[in-house]
Amino acid sequence: MIVDLPHTVTSSLYSTFFLPLSHPLFFIKSATPQQATGNHQVDVIASVGLVSLVFWFLKQHAETWQRFLQTVTGYPFYIQGVTHLQDQGWLFLIMLFNLFLALKMIGFYNLDVFTPISRIPIQSLKGVFLGTGLTAIIFNFLSIVTFNRSLLFGFALLFVVYLIVKELLFRVYLTRRYYKDRPLQALLVCPAEEVEQQLSSVSLRHLSSLAIKGIILTTDWQREEEPSWKPLIAGKLDKLEATLARGLFDLVFLGDMLGQAATAQRVLAAAEEQGVEVWYLADFLTPLISRPVVDEYGGRPVIVFRTTRHTDGRFLIKRLFDLMLATLMFGFVSPVWLLVALIVKFTSKGPVIYCQERTGWKGKPFRMYKFRTMVYNADTRLDEVRIHNEIRGPVFKSSDDPRVTWIGRVLRRFSFDELPQLLNVLKGDMSLVGPRPLPLYETENFGAFKDYRRYSVLPGLTGLWQVSGRNRIEDFSDWVRLDLEYIDSWSLWLDIVILFRTIPVILSGDGAR
């Protein structure tokens, strides 16, 4: 019988250079999502080699490269020398660190062996593009102007080609040499009444990475007719140790042992004693949204079902990205901020900055800042204008709100009123991208409990709703659907895409209502 590897198996070509090749178990190991990150040694070595190659080329042939660019583009390129970079090795370290950080963030090293071939070029391009972009942002932030751009982009081009070729060749080599010709030999351990169910489910799998070559029964066969799988029976549980000692099996495939904890523990102990790997096919819970992660608590394994990916190490990466970009944006828009503040101050009565209690991460309230776009004490007139609401559900949105001042309409049209929320981002109350935070009174009126999952991540300055035709959405359920779609598919790359898509939305004047 045949079964595919767990989804968390990592595409670690790297280990093939350091571990024996007698069997794929030596270099493709099953792992929890936290462990399935692969080894980066080969890519690190290759990246250093490619950087050195581009560095040597520019040092020896800078003028030739310069003439080539000028001929092809007609633009008077001037290729800066790279000799000075010999004393600035830390610039290389920043570039390489950003590259592998980006590959880690997009989950490149978590792609399993049998991922669709079409994903390899896409993920490679995304990772290298993101790493190059982070490097450019950091160099600009640190005012590093002596770095040769040809070195950066030449290396990025070579490295993305290297990644694609390496990953494709690796998968062809691995699947042909090992999984088709030499699948892992597995010993199935389960109750007799569940063997057919286990074999039936296994036969539905389409990958030849594991073959069940033996069966250990934990209970007696109760039927009169002989089972079709009788030739595979190696014995009952008391034969487990001796069966494993024969050295014929690469792993123990432990079926669902619900209600047989003691038996399952014995199987695990016997396998551990002889150093045989155990795969436990738990069948007691089937999550629809959350992602199971194996962790440890009090020395015992715990399966954590997590619906959002923002709560692990990637949350820190997202936070660092927010801080860096929000700081740059804050400095860039400071003159606009000052101009808008003066206009608001002298065109209507009331404070320049409007503060309102909004619902934040995990439902905790926070004070959100905006430039005031309504008349003073507009909150007290909310009941008067509810008839103007244009969205079905607990929220209030209107393109014809009589409380909005004339300058407020201009600010809202181009989203200038949202600029003070950069302070919320710097404080940690918000992220640059995420579901929009709603006033507390609107949250209290939610009609469906699923709507509260919007608050499982930090609220954002912009989001998928804002760049998906916000003025055409007429039902709050569609708003929530887009928010949950963002949460379930979150990645730093998605944040960057949404930020870029926000720019034309702002420039077109398709701002908030």
Side-chain angles (χ1 to χ4, degrees):
M1 304 303 296
I2 305 301
V3 66
D4 59 312
L5 284 174
H7 180 70
T8 54
V9 172
T10 168
S11 60
S12 305
L13 169 66
Y14 331 102
S15 301
T16 61
F17 285 79
F18 306 104
L19 297 175
L21 291 177
S22 58
H23 199 279
L25 271 179
F26 284 104
F27 60 94
I28 299 293
K29 56 176 289 188
S30 60
T32 66
Q34 294 171 323
Q35 297 169 331
T37 54
N39 297 317
H40 302 74
Q41 292 97 325
V42 170
D43 284 353
V44 170
I45 294 173
S47 63
V48 172
L50 291 176
V51 168
S52 302
L53 176 64
V54 179
F55 180 90
W56 173 84
F57 175 81
L58 291 175
K59 186 176 180 179
Q60 300 295 327
H61 305 286
E63 293 184 1
T64 302
W65 179 242
Q66 179 175 297
R67 288 195 299 270
F68 171 77
L69 291 178
Q70 291 174 350
T71 302
V72 171
T73 65
Y75 186 81
F77 278 100
Y78 172 70
I79 303 302
Q80 189 178 25
V82 294
T83 305
H84 64 285
L85 293 177
Q86 293 175 340
D87 300 324
Q88 298 178 346
W90 62 280
L91 297 179
F92 295 127
L93 295 179
I94 292 178
M95 182 172 64
L96 296 181
F97 174 81
N98 286 331
L99 174 67
F100 289 103
L101 177 64
L103 291 173
K104 169 65 177 175
M105 286 188 298
I106 68 170
F108 183 81
Y109 293 111
N110 286 344
L111 294 175
D112 66 47
V113 175
F114 302 100
T115 191
I117 296 298
S118 59
R119 289 196 63 193
I120 304 302
I122 295 174
Q123 291 295 94
S124 300
L125 286 168
K126 285 170 61 175
V128 175
F129 176 80
L130 179 58
T132 304
L134 288 174
T135 300
I137 291 174
I138 290 177
F139 284 177
N140 181 71
F141 183 74
L142 298 177
S143 299
I144 299 175
V145 296
T146 56
F147 193 79
N148 193 301
R149 293 179 179 85
S150 292
L151 176 63
L152 176 61
F153 295 109
F155 163 73
L157 177 61
L158 290 179
F159 192 79
V160 76
V161 172
Y162 155 79
L163 276 184
I164 295 173
V165 173
K166 181 261 294 182
E167 291 292 327
L168 292 180
L169 289 179
F170 162 63
R171 281 165 173 77
V172 171
Y173 166 78
L174 183 64
T175 55
R176 287 186 178 178
R177 178 170 180 177
Y178 291 100
Y179 294 101
K180 292 183 178 179
D181 300 332
R182 296 181 56 194
L184 305 182
Q185 310 296 294
L187 177 65
L188 173 64
V189 180
C190 70
E193 60 271 17
E194 293 187 7
V195 172
E196 292 183 355
Q197 179 182 349
Q198 295 290 344
L199 296 182
S200 176
S201 64
V202 163
S203 65
L204 297 176
R205 308 301 176 95
H206 66 285
L207 299 174
S208 55
S209 61
L210 186 152
I212 295 178
K213 293 297 185 179
I215 301 174
I216 290 289
L217 301 178
T218 61
T219 60
D220 293 327
W221 177 252
Q222 302 294 334
R223 302 177 187 177
E224 293 183 359
E225 71 276 9
E226 290 189 351
S228 59
W229 37 266
K230 183 178 179 180
L232 294 176
I233 298 177
K236 296 183 180 180
L237 195 59
D238 58 350
K239 300 293 185 180
L240 176 62
E241 289 83 353
T243 302
L244 291 177
R246 295 165 59 190
L248 300 177
F249 301 98
D250 299 309
L251 58 93
V252 172
F253 193 77
L254 187 57
D256 182 32
M257 302 294 288
L258 186 62
Q260 301 186 54
T263 301
Q265 185 63 49
R266 177 180 172 181
V267 174
L268 178 60
E272 287 180 331
E273 187 177 41
Q274 299 191 36
V276 179
E277 186 169 322
V278 175
W279 291 3
Y280 178 44
L281 186 64
D283 196 27
F284 57 94
L285 289 175
T286 304
L288 299 178
I289 299 175
S290 57
R291 298 169 176 84
V293 178
V294 178
D295 210 325
E296 185 176 299
Y297 181 78
R300 300 181 62 185
V302 176
I303 300 178
V304 181
F305 295 94
R306 182 176 296 153
T307 59
T308 174
R309 301 156 65 185
H310 291 215
T311 54
D312 54 18
R314 283 168 289 193
F315 178 82
L316 177 60
I317 297 173
K318 178 179 174 70
R319 178 65 183 147
L320 292 175
F321 177 77
D322 285 342
L323 285 174
M324 181 173 62
L325 192 55
T327 301
L328 290 174
M329 293 173 62
F330 189 84
F332 181 75
V333 302
S334 292
V336 179
W337 189 321
L338 179 60
L339 178 62
V340 171
L342 292 174
I343 294 175
V344 172
K345 181 64 177 178
F346 291 107
T347 55
S348 62
K349 177 183 178 182
V352 172
I353 301 295
Y354 171 71
C355 300
Q356 186 182 48
E357 291 286 316
R358 296 279 179 120
T359 308
W361 184 45
K362 294 186 176 180
K364 300 175 182 177
F366 72 99
R367 293 176 63 83
M368 192 188 77
Y369 309 119
K370 298 180 66 175
F371 282 122
R372 183 175 55 83
T373 58
M374 293 186 177
V375 296
Y376 185 60
N377 290 332
D379 287 343
T380 62
R381 298 175 49 190
L382 180 59
D383 291 337
E384 302 176 14
V385 297
R386 288 193 182 277
I387 59 174
H388 298 283
N389 193 11
E390 299 172 355
I391 293 186
R392 292 185 295 272
V395 298
F396 176 82
K397 293 292 179 183
S398 173
S399 58
D400 190 29
D401 192 331
R403 299 173 299 166
V404 179
T405 64
W406 70 270
I407 191 61
R409 297 188 186 280
V410 176
L411 297 180
R412 287 188 171 202
R413 183 175 179 82
F414 296 99
S415 299
F416 287 155
D417 59 319
E418 312 287 358
L419 291 180
Q421 288 163 43
L422 289 174
L423 294 177
N424 290 115
V425 175
L426 295 175
K427 287 174 59 181
D429 296 328
M430 296 176 61
S431 174
L432 289 175
V433 182
R436 285 295 295 166
L438 298 176
L440 299 183
Y441 61 85
E442 292 185 352
T443 300
E444 294 171 354
N445 293 328
F446 278 3
F449 290 118
K450 65 179 180 63
D451 296 346
Y452 288 90
R453 194 154 70 88
R454 300 178 74 253
Y455 303 125
S456 61
V457 298
L458 282 175
L461 190 62
T462 185
L464 194 56
W465 170 66
Q466 279 77 2
V467 298
S468 302
R470 58 207 276 179
N471 287 343
R472 294 187 296 272
I473 293 177
E474 300 179 349
D475 197 306
F476 181 64
S477 61
D478 293 329
W479 185 345
V480 173
R481 176 181 55 80
L482 290 171
D483 286 339
L484 298 185
E485 180 181 331
Y486 166 78
I487 293 173
D488 292 336
S489 58
W490 176 82
S491 67
L492 191 63
W493 176 259
L494 180 58
D495 279 6
I496 294 174
V497 170
I498 290 176
L499 287 173
F500 273 108
R501 289 179 60 186
T502 301
I503 296 175
V505 171
I506 293 176
L507 295 178
S508 66
D510 190 19
R513 289 183 282 189

